Amino acid sequence: MQATLFHNPDAGDETHSAAQLAAALRAGGLSLSLCGAKGEALREGLARPMQLAIIAGGDGTVGRIAPALAGRGVALAVLPCGTANNLARALGPWPSVEALAAGWRAAPRRMLNLAYAEGPFGRRPFLEAAGFGAFARAIDRADEKGLKGIEAGRAAFRAILANTEAQRVALSVDGAAWEGETLLLEVMNIPLFGPNLPLAPGSRPDDGLLDLVLLPPERRGALLAWLDAPEQGRAPVLLRQGRRIRIDWPGGPVRLDDTPLTEEAMSVTLGLEERVLPTLVPRALERAA
């Protein structure tokens, strides 16, 4: 199989060598081209013919590259080399490059929905989440990596959530209207967000639905407590599911995945593209799904 390895040497703890990854994949029978994950090197790599794209990096790297592959008939495999690795966790992570090299031939495929946000900024894709409000502001506050990065990210979220003011928001989910006050608003395509926070644990990357997450002001204390141990129970948030979500945002920080977008008031529509990304997942994880 003709494959391209998109490698981000700056992701996570930076211990993964492109040469080591490529050697293991070629030993597993892949005809492999090696490509950088940014700039002109990325543009050239995306133009190459390929049947499999392997992305070695974190969520930002996957979010930057994967949308350009949608609709091309290219399969995707993610080697989680970042800090949070939310997308790899949602899909079913390969535990090592050696496991991918040994298992790619027999690996089942799981579809990854490609989401979009459309507003005054045009139409832009995202894979993980679109954030409005407190958590959108917190996403860029932690610059540590590895476990320290997860802890720093959660600490930043707690600090901002403790002091943020509620926003009154009008929105609709598949035409059903809702209006009220919320401390945060996330539109999620996968269960995890930011520093491994399972805000929408029932979400699946192939279910054809977006998950809307809201936090009424009276639940601030409960979510702050939950942030201390999110693995021990469900987040105390309101959840709605739908294929098309329209939000009249009164103003404040907005981001797509981990990229800040605007702080302007606007109306924005979020939905799912018809294009999907077929993704290789380990066979054992597919049986458990």
Side-chain angles (χ1 to χ4, degrees), residues 38-143:
K38 298 178 182 178
E40 186 61 30
L42 173 59
R43 286 188 287 273
E44 291 178 359
L46 288 171
R48 297 173 186 168
M50 70 187 91
Q51 297 165 290
L52 173 64
I54 302 169
I55 302 177
D59 292 319
T61 306
V62 180
R64 184 169 61 251
I65 297 173
L69 302 169
R72 290 178 51 180
V74 176
L76 172 69
V78 179
L79 287 172
C81 300
T83 298
N85 299 310
N86 289 330
L87 282 160
R89 291 171 187 268
L91 293 167
W94 290 95
S96 66
V97 63
E98 291 80 12
L100 175 58
W104 64 267
R105 288 184 177 88
R109 297 190 181 196
R110 177 178 295 172
M111 297 302 165
L112 172 61
N113 295 323
L114 176 63
Y116 69 85
E118 189 168 22
F121 47 82
R123 184 174 174 125
R124 301 194 185 186
F126 67 95
L127 288 175
E128 186 178 349
F132 301 75
F135 280 12
R137 190 183 301 278
I139 198 71
D140 60 352
R141 296 298 178 91
D143 56 6

Side-chain angles (χ1 to χ4, degrees), residues 141-174:
R141 296 298 178 91
D143 56 6
E144 298 283 348
K145 295 180 179 180
L147 181 59
K148 289 184 178 180
I150 298 298
E151 294 170 348
R154 292 178 179 180
F157 279 42
R158 283 193 295 270
I160 289 177
L161 182 61
N163 298 292
T164 195
E165 296 183 2
Q167 295 269 47
R168 188 162 191 87
V169 179
L171 57 84
S172 66
V173 180
D174 290 343

